[in-house]
Amino acid sequence: APVDEYVGEKGNTFQRLMLAGIPNKMVASLSHICKAAGLSVSAIELDVLALARAIPSEKPTLIADIGGITTNIAVAENGLLKHARQTDYGGIHLTRAVSKGLGLGMTRAETLKKRRGLLGEEGASELYSLLVPFIDVIIQECRQAQMEYERRYGREVAQFTIVGGTANLKALPDRASEFLELPYIAPQVLGDVDYASRLAPIAGEIGGRLAAAVGAAKRYFYI
């Protein structure tokens, strides 16, 4: 996938390319699932490529996709992926920490996590103290991606956004913004997508969860 285009001294253009690999076992597993569902596979691509396409911006934008098991981190410009990173922490690790720390079942822990998030002053909330260590690891990985991008391209990341199942964790954008020293922008994943008017009240909430799916679809439906 082309990542950046350059103009040489003689006026000729060339591109920096990114090589991406997916294990054969994963490809076979995904293909089997699609076949069992009566679907044919036309392409398989990495989540980070779809994320860059889902949130187009002329400004260098850091995108953190906090999934169930892992977090994908991308820095994108104009719909093109510039830098990618991944950390092995996701929403399930937060839920397990709450479950073990408070002696709750996973379902109850997930509900409490979503309802309270990072609300509460440091040291005053047991829930806060359980979640913050995992959240800070993810934010630190975002910071590392930010620094690596800026060192490689000589440009500063201008803003960041958070998508995925944990994107709506209360007070998360504020904590990340303070650490990264970047403004947070709400992910307008469905901003250029037509959908039923009855979905308007929840479009903002569910859009972030569908970022990778929408980005993958744009590969075929957008020029």
Side-chain angles (χ1 to χ4, degrees), residues 15-137:
Q15 293 180 328
R16 175 183 292 170
L17 300 179
M18 179 186 69
L19 298 179
I22 302 176
N24 288 332
K25 287 184 178 180
M26 183 175 293
V27 173
S29 176
L30 292 172
S31 298
H32 177 74
I33 291 171
C34 290
K35 183 177 180 180
L39 302 173
S40 60
V41 178
S42 58
I44 295 177
E45 70 174 0
L46 298 178
D47 287 354
V48 287
L49 293 173
L51 290 176
R53 202 180 296 118
I55 305 176
S57 174
E58 294 181 359
K59 299 178 180 180
T61 302
L62 187 147
I63 307 166
D65 179 13
I66 307 178
I69 300 175
T70 62
T71 295
N72 289 308
I73 303 166
V75 180
E77 282 183 73
N78 294 311
L80 293 177
L81 177 66
K82 299 293 186 176
H83 186 75
R85 192 177 180 88
Q86 187 183 75
T87 178
D88 293 330
Y89 285 98
I92 190 64
H93 299 89
L94 304 178
T95 304
R96 284 175 179 167
V98 175
S99 176
K100 292 180 64 176
L102 300 181
L104 302 174
M106 289 291 286
T107 300
R108 172 60 178 157
E110 178 71 13
T111 300
L112 184 60
K113 179 188 76 173
K114 290 181 177 179
R115 189 172 73 238
R116 293 292 299 166
L118 299 179
L119 296 177
E121 296 181 358
E122 188 170 1
S125 169
E126 190 172 359
L127 178 63
Y128 178 97
S129 63
L130 290 169
L131 292 176
V132 160
F134 295 93
I135 288 297
D136 282 354
V137 168

Side-chain angles (χ1 to χ4, degrees), residues 109-223:
E110 178 71 13
T111 300
L112 184 60
K113 179 188 76 173
K114 290 181 177 179
R115 189 172 73 238
R116 293 292 299 166
L118 299 179
L119 296 177
E121 296 181 358
E122 188 170 1
S125 169
E126 190 172 359
L127 178 63
Y128 178 97
S129 63
L130 290 169
L131 292 176
V132 160
F134 295 93
I135 288 297
D136 282 354
V137 168
I138 293 173
I139 295 176
Q140 288 167 7
E141 290 292 333
C142 290
R143 175 59 176 163
Q144 188 64 32
Q146 177 187 4
M147 292 190 299
E148 289 173 357
Y149 166 84
E150 292 177 349
R151 182 168 57 248
R152 177 177 296 177
Y153 292 96
R155 298 190 296 275
E156 293 185 352
V157 175
Q159 56 196 8
F160 81 100
T161 191
I162 303 173
V163 298
T166 308
N168 296 317
L169 190 70
K170 293 180 179 179
L172 173 57
D174 292 338
R175 186 172 185 84
S177 182
E178 180 180 359
F179 188 89
L180 299 173
E181 297 182 342
L182 293 174
Y184 171 78
I185 61 166
Q188 301 297 324
V189 175
L190 300 179
D192 55 356
V193 176
D194 290 332
Y195 52 85
S197 58
R198 66 178 182 277
L199 298 177
I202 61 172
E205 178 182 349
I206 66 173
R209 300 181 184 181
L210 300 175
V214 171
K218 285 185 176 182
R219 170 176 176 158
Y220 297 98
F221 296 108
Y222 286 75
I223 297 175

